[in-house]
Amino acid sequence: MANIFKLSALAGPVLTLALGAAAVDWIVFERVDYLADVQIVNPIEYSQTLYARGDYRTAEEYARLFLSLPGVSAAQTPGREVAEVLKRAEAVRASPGYVAAETMKGFFTGGSAETYGEAAGFASDLTAVGDVRDLLRESARWYAGEPVDAFTAGLSALGIVLTAAALTPEAPAAATAKGAVSILKTAKRAGKLPPRIERELVEAAAEPWAVIGRVAPLDAVVEAGGRGGAKAAWSSFLQELDVGRTALAAEGGRAAKKLESLGGLTRCAATQGLGAALEVLNRSENLADIPRVVRTAEKLGGDAAAVLRFGGPGIVRAVEKRGVAEVMSVYRFGPEVVKLLDRLPAKTVLRDVRHFMAATSRASYRMMKRGVRIFEGAAAMLSSVLSVAGWAGRLAARRVRRRTEPQ
C-alpha cells in the first residue's frame, strides 16, 4: 500500500513534465509548424544547379540579385559561394564565341535564351522581316499538313498589318502595338506566355490573318516557294503585300485600337528592359492583368526582371500588399516564403523562418517533433494512471482501516 502512495506522489511531477513537453512543442514546433511543408531555397545549391545545367544567364541573374539582398555579404557564407557561381557564369557569357552564337541564333531563329539573343530576335520582329519569316514558316507547315503554331502565325499577321499602318494617322498607336506584338512573340519563344493570354491573342489575330489571306493567298505563295525556293516565296509574298497595302493598313489601324491596353508593356520594355517586359507577361493572368503587373515592375525598379522571375506566382500580390522593402527582406528564402506574405507580415515570417532553420534540418525536425509529442502523450497518460492508482490506493486503505477498527 505504501508503494502505491509513493507512486501516486509521482503523478504531480509527471504531469509537470507533460505540461513542459507541451510548452516545448508549442514554442519550438507548433508556432512554426506551418513552415514544415514550405520549400525554403538553399541559394548555394540553387545557383550551382543552374550553372551545372548550362543555364548561365539565369545563374548569373539569380546570383547577382541574391548578393544585392539585405543581410547578404559576398565575404560570408552563403554569399561567398554564390559569388563564385556569379564569377564563373559571367566568364562564360562574356566569351566572344558564346556571344556570337547566341546573337545569330536569336536573329535568325528567335530561339536564343540569352538577353542579347532575345534582343536580336526582338529587333528582327520590329521589322517586317521577322513577321514574314515566321508567317511563311507556319504557312509551309500548314501546306505540308504539319502542325501549325497558330499563335506565332496570328501574331505575325498582326505584326504585318501594324507595320502597314505606319504611314496612316494611326501610326503612333500602331508603333506601340507593334512593339507589344514583338514582345509577345519573344515571350512565346522564351516560354513566358501564360496559356490564357495566348488564347486571347489568337482570337484577336483572326481578322488580320483573314485579311492577309485575301491580299496574299498563302497557298499560292507556298507553291511559288516549291517551284523557286524560299527566295521565290519571299519575293512573291512581298509583292502581294505591296499591292494590298491599303487593306493591310486599314486592318492595322483597327488592330492598333484593339491592342491599346498593351501600351504599358511597350513602355516597360523601353524603360526597364526587354527582360522586365517578358517577366511582366509571365506573371500576368490575362491581357487585362498586364497593366497591374507593369505597375509592380515599376515599383521594383531596375531589379524588376530578376525579382519577378525568381519571386514565384505570389510576388505581385506580395508587393501590392506588403511593399517592396518587406518583400525583399524575405526574398532570399524563395518564392514559397514570399507567398506567405499574403497572410503574414514580413517580420513574423522572417523570425519564424530563421527559428525554423536554426532549429534543425527538415528530416530531424519532424523526428524531434514526433518524439516530443510521444513523450508528451506518454507523460500525460502515466500521470493519469498514477493519479487513478493513488485514488484507488487511498480508497482501499480506508476500507482496510474500517475492517480493522474495533466495533
Side-chain angles (χ1 to χ4, degrees):
M1 192 68 67
N3 290 334
I4 291 178
F5 287 134
K6 289 179 180 178
L7 287 174
S8 66
L10 293 175
V14 172
L15 179 59
T16 302
L17 287 175
L19 293 174
V24 170
D25 184 16
W26 165 251
I27 295 171
V28 178
F29 300 107
E30 191 67 29
R31 185 168 59 83
V32 296
D33 196 48
Y34 69 95
L35 293 170
D37 295 318
V38 172
Q39 182 64 47
I40 298 176
V41 171
N42 182 318
I44 300 174
E45 292 180 1
Y46 185 60
S47 59
Q48 290 176 344
T49 299
L50 291 172
Y51 182 87
R53 71 186 189 200
D55 197 347
Y56 306 117
R57 171 188 175 180
T58 306
E60 179 180 335
E61 289 180 348
Y62 174 77
R64 194 179 300 283
L65 177 63
F66 178 79
L67 292 169
S68 71
L69 295 176
V72 176
S73 170
Q76 300 176 342
T77 300
R80 181 171 54 248
E81 290 78 3
V82 174
E84 180 59 32
V85 174
L86 173 61
K87 182 178 178 181
R88 285 185 284 152
E90 285 177 329
V92 172
R93 296 185 71 209
S95 62
Y98 183 82
V99 172
E102 290 297 320
T103 302
M104 297 294 286
K105 186 192 299 183
F107 188 85
F108 288 106
T109 70
S112 174
E114 281 292 340
T115 50
Y116 32 78
E118 285 177 350
F122 177 67
S124 72
D125 286 333
L126 283 173
T127 66
V129 173
D131 293 322
V132 173
R133 173 200 65 202
D134 293 341
L135 191 59
L136 288 179
R137 183 180 63 239
E138 297 304 324
S139 298
R141 288 176 178 172
W142 164 76
Y143 192 76
E146 299 175 357
V148 175
D149 184 343
F151 174 81
T152 299
L155 254 67
S156 297
L158 275 171
I160 289 171
V161 298
L162 290 169
T163 300
L167 298 178
T168 71
E170 300 293 338
T176 299
K178 173 61 176 166
V181 166
S182 301
I183 295 169
L184 290 162
K185 289 177 69 175
T186 305
K188 170 67 174 178
R189 290 192 293 263
K192 296 183 180 296
L193 195 68
R196 184 171 174 180
I197 292 181
E198 185 172 338
R199 289 194 298 270
E200 289 178 320
L201 288 165
V202 169
E203 293 173 3
E207 187 56 31
W209 173 270
V211 169
I212 290 176
R214 291 194 298 270
V215 170
L218 294 172
D219 52 352
V221 172
V222 174
E223 285 182 6
R227 293 190 301 271
K231 185 176 181 180
W234 181 279
S235 298
S236 173
F237 191 62
L238 292 181
Q239 288 173 3
E240 296 291 344
L241 291 182
D242 186 55
V243 171
R245 62 175 177 265
T246 301
L248 293 173
E251 181 55 35
R254 289 190 289 271
K257 292 180 180 178
K258 290 181 182 178
L259 300 175
E260 281 179 341
S261 62
L262 296 178
L265 186 64
T266 306
R267 184 179 69 252
C268 179
T271 58
Q272 295 177 273
L274 177 60
L278 296 181
E279 296 305 330
V280 164
L281 282 170
N282 193 34
R283 295 295 171 220
S284 299
E285 296 180 4
N286 49 49
L287 286 174
D289 194 40
I290 290 175
R292 168 184 172 235
V293 185
V294 167
R295 289 192 294 272
T296 298
E298 290 170 346
K299 293 177 184 177
L300 293 170
D303 291 328
V307 175
L308 289 173
R309 172 182 288 194
F310 301 111
I315 185 66
V316 175
R317 171 76 173 164
V319 171
E320 289 177 334
K321 189 167 185 177
R322 304 293 179 185
V324 175
E326 284 200 44
V327 169
M328 300 312 288
S329 69
V330 304
Y331 193 89
R332 60 178 294 187
F333 300 110
E336 292 190 18
V337 175
V338 168
K339 198 171 183 179
L340 293 174
L341 295 179
D342 189 39
R343 56 189 178 90
L344 294 170
K347 183 178 180 180
T348 300
V349 173
L350 194 60
R351 179 200 65 199
D352 291 347
V353 167
R354 286 174 173 167
H355 177 84
F356 179 81
M357 294 180 68
T360 180
S361 66
R362 188 181 301 273
S364 55
Y365 171 88
R366 288 176 174 166
M367 186 178 298
M368 289 174 60
K369 175 181 173 181
R370 191 176 296 113
V372 168
R373 291 195 171 172
I374 290 173
F375 176 79
E376 176 187 340
M381 186 179 296
L382 180 59
S383 174
S384 300
V385 169
L386 291 174
S387 297
V388 170
W391 175 80
R394 286 191 292 273
L395 183 61
R398 288 197 202 99
R399 290 179 178 175
V400 169
R401 283 197 301 270
R402 288 173 186 168
R403 291 175 183 172
T404 56
E405 286 176 357
Q407 299 295 326

